[in-house]
Amino acid sequence: MVVSKELPENLAAKAQRRNWYARAEADKVLDWIEDSGQRFLGVDVAQKQEDGTWMLLLDNLDLSRQTENFEAVRRGRQFVAEYDGKGRMFAPVWQDRGE
């Protein structure tokens, strides 16, 4: 994850594991990305296994070539909604635009 601007403390505290969020919090991270002018790059997905370990899923959303940030965030929200399920966690990926 490329981060040069820190998430607000109250949002960062909701991470399940470092940068991984349940759907509701992932949506809030996407709100923050959009509102704060970060460049949204995509989302990684992990599944919590019965033994408590996490498995990174091959399904992910790579929008690093997307130039329109509004459209990238919209697609990110759609991806999170489609891949949400029991034990699923999401790691939004962004980059500070440096503006």
Side-chain angles (χ1 to χ4, degrees), residues 26-42:
D27 283 338
K28 291 175 186 173
V29 172
L30 290 171
D31 290 342
W32 175 81
I33 288 169
E34 187 171 31
D35 294 345
S36 64
Q38 309 304 306
R39 181 171 176 242
F40 180 59
L41 301 174

Side-chain angles (χ1 to χ4, degrees), residues 2-6 32-33 36-41 69 94-99:
V2 180
V3 181
S4 58
K5 187 171 184 178
E6 295 293 323
W32 175 81
I33 288 169
S36 64
Q38 309 304 306
R39 181 171 176 242
F40 180 59
L41 301 174
N69 203 51
W94 69 89
Q95 180 178 29
D96 186 347
R97 287 185 183 246
E99 296 175 352

Side-chain angles (χ1 to χ4, degrees), residues 70-90:
F70 175 81
E71 177 63 15
V73 171
R74 185 194 69 75
R75 289 180 59 195
R77 292 181 201 287
Q78 182 179 16
F79 178 84
V80 168
E82 289 175 4
Y83 279 87
D84 189 30
K86 184 178 180 184
R88 292 275 170 96
M89 299 308 251
F90 302 93

Side-chain angles (χ1 to χ4, degrees), residues 6-18:
E6 295 293 323
L7 277 169
E9 187 175 320
N10 63 335
L11 187 54
K14 294 184 179 184
Q16 298 292 316
R17 286 195 66 186
R18 195 190 265 174

